[in-house]
Amino acid sequence: MTTAQGELQDKVAVITGAARGIGAAIAEAYDKEGAIVVVSDIDGEGAERVAKGLSRGSAIQCDVTDEASVQALFDGAVAQHGRVDIAVANAGVGRPMALAEMNLAEWRKVTSVNLDGVFLTIRSAALAMAATGGGSIIGMASITGFKGSALIGDYAAAKAGVINLCKTAATEFRAHNVRVNAMCPTFLDTVLVQEAVPTFEAALGVPFDQIISQKQGRMGQVSDVTPLAVFLASERSRFSTGSAFVVDHGWLASLV
């Protein structure tokens, strides 16, 4: 009798920002598909908690804004498992603020994690993968990367940068069998979004639930995003690279 194999059986996956939210959900989804998952986050204790809930999980603390820390993450994963097959550059932060009220330090708090951190993660992951035969990298972007977004100009600009960065990386690393795609989810029911809701409502003068209902029908859940994360990491997407995959329940499809 043979044991059923998951789509990512024995693949080694590194996920940043995986102590909670989308990152933790992707770690759990990959685990269910048979992957060996390295859970990474600046919150080391949170990463350990998530890793302990996985069948073959481990945790490595990492600050994605620190070049040496990101390199140590991938060096550590390769030292433990011999290679990295999948990397998800998911770590991100956000704080709603009007551009007129934002100083350079505030701008850099968001862009250093959401864009610089993705660059460092993609670069280290791609080089590690190129040395061992290839792999799949997913950059976590957002639908805000496609449109102007009041109160999150820093976040949206960084996410637009992630989309373009993934396209460039896909082109440069294609010859090494390294695929790079961007995931662009809509607003999901995560701590990051819920913490921002009061600021959005105060500035826009309408209930956030009303906006969500009009634009995407309901609040998204992390479980709405994880199937795409599995697909992009798997052999089913072997001919997909340099693309931005939108998961928004129709938000971008309509002007109203």
Side-chain angles (χ1 to χ4, degrees), residues 101-114:
E101 300 170 0
M102 188 184 301
N103 60 37
L104 185 59
E106 292 289 348
W107 170 271
R108 285 179 172 165
K109 282 180 184 178
V110 172
T111 58
S112 64
V113 176
N114 293 12

Side-chain angles (χ1 to χ4, degrees), residues 8-235:
L8 307 178
Q9 192 67 40
D10 299 328
K11 298 291 187 182
V12 179
V14 176
I15 307 170
T16 66
R20 67 179 190 178
I22 299 175
I26 292 174
E28 292 166 1
Y30 284 0
D31 179 69
K32 290 178 181 177
E33 292 296 336
I36 301 163
V37 182
V38 179
V39 180
S40 178
D41 202 286
I42 195 170
D43 174 7
E45 291 184 359
E48 289 281 359
R49 285 194 298 272
V50 173
K52 286 178 181 177
L54 307 179
S55 58
R56 290 189 291 173
S58 61
I60 299 178
Q61 185 175 25
C62 177
D63 176 357
V64 297
T65 68
D66 182 86
E67 189 170 9
S69 184
V70 175
Q71 190 60 52
L73 166 62
F74 284 92
D75 287 346
V78 171
Q80 287 181 38
H81 306 293
R83 67 190 192 281
V84 173
D85 303 300
I86 303 158
V88 183
N90 170 73
V93 297
R95 179 187 175 192
M97 183 181 297
L99 292 176
E101 300 170 0
M102 188 184 301
N103 60 37
L104 185 59
E106 292 289 348
W107 170 271
R108 285 179 172 165
K109 282 180 184 178
V110 172
T111 58
S112 64
V113 176
N114 293 12
L115 183 54
D116 297 348
V118 173
F119 157 67
L120 291 173
T121 302
I122 287 176
R123 186 187 65 181
S124 290
L127 290 172
M129 291 173 180
T132 56
S136 175
I137 300 172
I138 300 168
M140 191 60 66
S142 164
I143 62 167
T144 63
F146 295 98
K147 302 286 185 179
S149 302
L151 303 180
I152 51 173
D154 48 1
Y155 182 91
K159 294 303 186 180
V162 168
I163 293 168
N164 194 280
L165 174 62
C166 287
K167 292 177 182 294
T168 300
T171 302
E172 292 187 358
F173 286 100
R174 180 172 55 197
H176 300 281
N177 197 34
V178 176
R179 299 186 294 109
V180 188
N181 290 289
M183 281 180 56
C184 306
T186 187
F187 292 93
L188 305 178
D189 188 14
T190 62
V191 173
L192 184 67
V193 171
Q194 292 301 337
E195 288 178 345
V197 166
T199 304
F200 277 122
E201 290 183 333
L204 300 177
V206 294
F208 193 67
D209 287 347
Q210 180 177 322
I211 298 172
I212 291 296
S213 178
Q214 179 179 342
K215 292 298 295 180
Q216 66 184 49
R218 63 168 174 82
M219 180 65 82
Q221 303 297 319
V222 291
S223 59
D224 295 319
V225 173
T226 52
L228 177 60
V230 171
F231 169 75
L232 292 177
S234 76
E235 282 299 304

